[in-house]
Structures are given as structure tokens and as C-alpha cells.
Amino acid sequence: TTGNEYTIDFISPIIGCIARRSLLNAENVHIFLSRSMGLKVYTYNGSGLPQPISDSVQPDVEAMATGQIPNACAVYYRRSYLLCYANTGSSSNDRILGIDLYWTERKSKQQWFRWLTQTFDWMVVWTGENDAGELYAGSVSAGQVWRLDQGTDDDGTNITFKIWSKYQDLGVP
């Protein structure tokens, strides 16, 4: 690119993006990682000041490896912002922190989730003419690309996961 394809807007003298690949436009708001007032994820809707949205997952955000923050990357996938970053002690992006923007908009409550992953240098959603919005991630060191939104196993090994729901006492049957 030549730089003419983008508009640069000055929005705040104190809040700026510190990881260029964490910045994206999702549902008419910009979402990005900033260190301006403590390390946080912010949204900006085009007016006023950017607003922090990561308070409920602040321990995860603060556990990002400081020297690797510029390598954090994000995608907008199925109405969620997914931020891939290196955890403390790691030299590669090995965690994904996501926020479900649909839930947040409808319920006025932030719904964050976490993925522990392979090490990814980048993530991308394929949106070409013959694509169906598939989510891919790649690793330079492993020399591999993975499709993340398909299947129930990882090369034959079951993927283990847990789902925690809100506790509700339904009484003794």
C-alpha cells in the first residue's frame, strides 16, 4: 500500500494504539490495544474519547508479555473481536482473548472468553468471493497454517474444553 488508502485521525492526545495489528473496525467501532492509561483494550465510536472495555479481564491483559505487545494481532470473526497475544514468559502469541460484540450490544454486559492456543503470528478471516468467512491462523516458526473453525479434533487428538454456565439452583426433583 502507498498509505493513500487510509485516513489517519487524531482522536486523543493520551490514548493511542500500541499494537498496529490489534486495531480493527468492528460494527462501526474501532477496537485496539493501548498502554496510555494502563494496558487496556479500547473502543472508539467516532466521537468523544476511546472507552476501555477490558476491565473485567484486566488480569489477562496485564499478563501480556511486555516485549511482545507490538506483535499482538486481532481479527473480527462471527461478531467477536479476537486478540492474539503472548502471555508473560512467552516469546510468541500463545493466547487469544475475545469479546462477543453481539452479546455485549444486546445485553449491555461484556462477554469475554479465552483460548489457549498454538503459537500464532497472525490470524485472518477469508472473505473472498468463494470464501465463507473461514478463520485461519499461521505460525512462521512452525511453517504451518491452521483452519480454526472446523472439526472437533487436532490431528486426531480430541480438543478438550470446559463450559461454565451461571449457577442456578433448580431444586431437588
Side-chain angles (χ1 to χ4, degrees):
T1 64
T2 64
N4 295 332
E5 296 88 358
Y6 303 99
T7 302
I8 297 176
D9 291 327
F10 179 76
I11 58 174
S12 169
I14 57 172
I15 302 172
C17 180
I18 60 167
R20 64 182 173 88
R21 294 187 304 152
S22 75
L23 172 65
L24 58 84
N25 184 356
E27 302 190 20
N28 298 317
V29 298
H30 298 296
I31 304 175
F32 59 94
L33 187 61
S34 179
R35 188 186 350 235
S36 302
M37 301 171 88
L39 191 58
K40 294 179 186 274
V41 177
Y42 284 84
T43 62
Y44 178 67
N45 66 6
S47 65
L49 291 174
Q51 298 298 311
I53 60 169
S54 57
D55 291 343
S56 64
V57 290
Q58 200 54 37
D60 295 273
V61 175
E62 290 173 355
M64 290 182 186
T66 305
Q68 297 300 318
I69 289 173
N71 298 324
C73 59
V75 294
Y76 176 65
Y77 176 70
R78 295 188 180 170
R79 301 204 67 189
S80 292
Y81 172 81
L82 305 177
L83 176 65
C84 189
Y85 64 94
N87 199 42
T88 299
S90 181
S91 60
S92 299
N93 293 341
D94 61 352
R95 301 280 195 274
I96 295 177
L97 190 59
I99 184 168
D100 183 328
L101 299 172
Y102 178 79
W103 177 269
T104 299
E105 177 186 336
R106 297 292 181 270
K107 302 293 184 181
S108 298
K109 180 180 180 188
Q110 295 172 1
Q111 184 64 45
W112 286 91
F113 54 90
R114 299 162 184 87
W115 291 349
L116 307 179
T117 71
Q118 296 280 347
T119 55
F120 298 142
D121 296 306
W122 55 266
M123 294 188 307
V124 64
V125 177
W126 287 5
T127 58
E129 182 178 325
N130 296 317
D131 298 316
E134 304 92 344
L135 177 62
Y136 286 87
S139 168
V140 173
S141 60
Q144 288 190 298
V145 174
W146 295 275
R147 182 170 175 186
L148 302 181
D149 61 355
Q150 175 179 302
T152 58
D153 65 75
D154 181 15
D155 293 329
T157 303
N158 288 336
I159 298 172
T160 304
F161 68 95
K162 296 179 181 178
I163 298 175
W164 285 276
S165 64
K166 177 181 168 183
Y167 174 78
Q168 184 165 343
D169 184 1
L170 300 175
V172 178

